[in-house]
Amino acid sequence: EDVRLKINSRERQRMHDLNSALDSLRQVMPYSRGPSVKKLSKMSTLLLARNYIVMLTRSLGEMRSLV
């Protein structure tokens, strides 16, 4: 029973850490943050971040080719 409690506690802490990291990511992602905008889901946050990184990478490549 004590082992199970420790496992549960670690899992709770892991989920808190994951949620904190996703909240931090949401803070820097370019999407509307108005009061009427629903908070992005975990999956939506990750997909938006991935697409944003791809877009920035392509933009950087285009800028390098112009210079």
Side-chain angles (χ1 to χ4, degrees):
E1 186 178 312
D2 190 42
V3 173
R4 187 78 240 157
L5 290 175
K6 287 180 182 177
I7 292 170
N8 289 347
S9 177
R10 270 198 313 266
E11 178 62 12
R12 259 192 314 280
Q13 186 59 50
R14 187 187 72 80
M15 289 306 299
H16 285 301
D17 292 344
L18 177 61
N19 288 331
S20 271
L22 285 165
D23 285 339
S24 295
L25 183 57
R26 285 183 193 104
Q27 291 296 316
V28 298
M29 292 309 302
Y31 77 97
S32 295
R33 291 184 195 83
S36 63
V37 177
K38 185 177 170 185
K39 183 171 99 171
L40 291 175
S41 69
K42 293 174 185 177
M43 185 58 76
S44 294
T45 300
L46 292 173
L47 289 172
L48 180 65
R50 179 215 176 265
N51 291 338
Y52 186 55
I53 291 167
V54 167
M55 183 202 66
L56 290 174
T57 302
R58 286 182 184 157
S59 295
L60 185 58
E62 289 174 11
M63 291 170 81
R64 283 184 177 155
S65 70
L66 294 174
V67 177

